[in-house]
């Protein structure tokens, strides 16, 4: 359920970062197949690691780590009946700690000076990571991100989520991004999928 803009054509040399994959790499596979490029993938869950091992795609450059605003270990909780673990959303399933790195550090480690496409499905962590990205003056050509609202029943958390998202959108637009809403059929009331394209 992701879309790419034609404004920035991709090639075999394009730098694609995919944050949060669990066991669904259909988008990554499609992009890699079409453009013959590597996909740099990051997910702290063992489910993702096993999935990548089973696929055994040499174009998938995978690390079992999370992305965060600092180098640290973060506590993740998993949904009780399957789904992606989160460092923010309150789940009742398995809990584990995992190492996390800053996006800027990952780019330095890979000798990347820019990102062509940044795709994020990271269960509530996108706003602080994107703000940290902007603090470090990292401006991908395209950003595709899912923004999951809090899964509790607290009205204040719900309003805080939208206020935080609005501030982030304003900030991205202030540095030259155009926002688009990606339509979706499933779980449309639980999250927003947005794309941001550099002007």
């Amino acid at each position: 359920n992701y879309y790419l803009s034609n404004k920035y054509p991709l090639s075999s040399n394009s730098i694609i970062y995919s944050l949060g994959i669990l066991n669904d790499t259909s988008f990554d596979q499609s992009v890699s197949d079409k453009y013959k490029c590597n996909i740099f993938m990051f997910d702290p869950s063992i489910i993702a690691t096993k999935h990548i091992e089973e696929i055994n795609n040499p174009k998938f450059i995978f690390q079992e780590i999370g992305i965060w605003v600092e180098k640290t270990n973060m506590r993740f909780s998993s949904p009780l009946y399957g789904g992606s673990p989160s460092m923010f959303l309150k789940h009742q399933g398995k809990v584990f700690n995992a190492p996390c790195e800053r996006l800027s550090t990952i780019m330095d480690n890979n000798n990347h000076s820019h990102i062509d496409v940044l795709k994020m499905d990271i269960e509530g962590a996108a706003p602080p990571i994107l703000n940290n990205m902007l603090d470090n003056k990292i401006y991908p050509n395209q950003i595709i991100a899912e923004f999951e609202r809090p899964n509790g029943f607290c009205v204040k958390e719900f309003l805080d989520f939208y206020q935080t998202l609005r501030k982030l959108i304003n900030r991205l637009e202030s540095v030259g991004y155009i926002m688009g809403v990606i339509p979706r059929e499933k779980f449309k009331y639980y999250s927003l999928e947005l794309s941001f394209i550099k002007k």
Side-chain angles (χ1 to χ4, degrees):
N1 197 47
Y2 299 113
Y3 297 84
L4 292 173
S5 169
N6 293 325
K7 183 174 182 179
Y8 296 99
L10 300 180
S11 71
S12 60
N13 295 319
S14 296
I15 307 300
I16 316 294
Y17 275 33
S18 182
L19 281 55
I21 58 169
L22 199 62
N23 58 359
D24 184 357
T25 50
S26 53
F27 169 78
D28 313 277
Q29 188 71 56
S30 296
V31 173
S32 181
D33 286 347
K34 183 171 183 177
Y35 301 105
K36 312 303 179 187
C37 57
N38 291 331
I39 311 292
F40 294 85
M41 313 170 84
F42 309 92
D43 192 302
S45 68
I46 188 64
I47 295 175
T49 299
K50 290 180 178 178
H51 177 67
I52 293 298
E53 289 174 348
E54 291 172 359
I55 291 175
N56 193 29
N57 185 337
K59 291 290 187 181
F60 288 176
I61 314 301
F62 175 76
Q63 285 186 266
E64 190 182 323
I65 62 171
I67 304 300
W68 186 230
V69 300
E70 61 179 343
K71 178 182 176 66
T72 187
N73 279 349
M74 292 292 286
R75 182 181 177 89
F76 291 80
S77 64
S78 305
L80 198 57
Y81 301 107
S84 299
S86 173
M87 63 176 80
F88 280 104
L89 303 180
K90 300 170 185 175
H91 296 311
Q92 303 301 314
K94 180 182 177 182
V95 174
F96 63 94
N97 292 322
C100 296
E101 288 279 4
R102 295 170 64 184
L103 182 63
S104 56
T105 301
I106 294 296
M107 292 177 64
D108 289 342
N109 292 344
N110 286 311
N111 295 317
H112 293 155
S113 60
H114 76 285
I115 300 174
D116 291 292
V117 177
L118 174 63
K119 169 249 165 187
M120 311 174 73
D121 185 0
I122 47 179
E123 306 303 311
I129 293 172
L130 288 172
N131 273 307
N132 185 258
M133 178 195 77
L134 295 176
D135 290 343
N136 286 280
K137 294 181 170 39
I138 299 170
Y139 307 114
N141 289 344
Q142 301 185 56
I143 302 167
I144 307 166
E146 185 171 19
F147 297 91
E148 298 85 359
R149 67 171 177 80
N151 54 3
F153 296 96
C154 176
V155 174
K156 183 179 184 305
E157 287 184 355
F158 186 80
L159 293 176
D160 286 347
F161 163 74
Y162 280 102
Q163 289 174 351
T164 298
L165 182 56
R166 181 70 262 175
K167 289 178 182 178
L168 173 61
I169 292 170
N170 290 344
R171 190 176 181 192
L172 285 162
E173 290 177 339
S174 74
V175 294
Y177 282 95
I178 298 173
M179 186 194 78
V181 179
I182 300 175
R184 61 186 304 169
E185 293 299 323
K186 295 181 179 180
F187 310 115
K188 63 177 66 177
Y189 303 111
Y190 292 92
S191 62
L192 293 170
E193 288 182 343
L194 304 178
S195 67
F196 299 90
I197 313 298
K198 280 173 61 177
K199 291 182 181 179

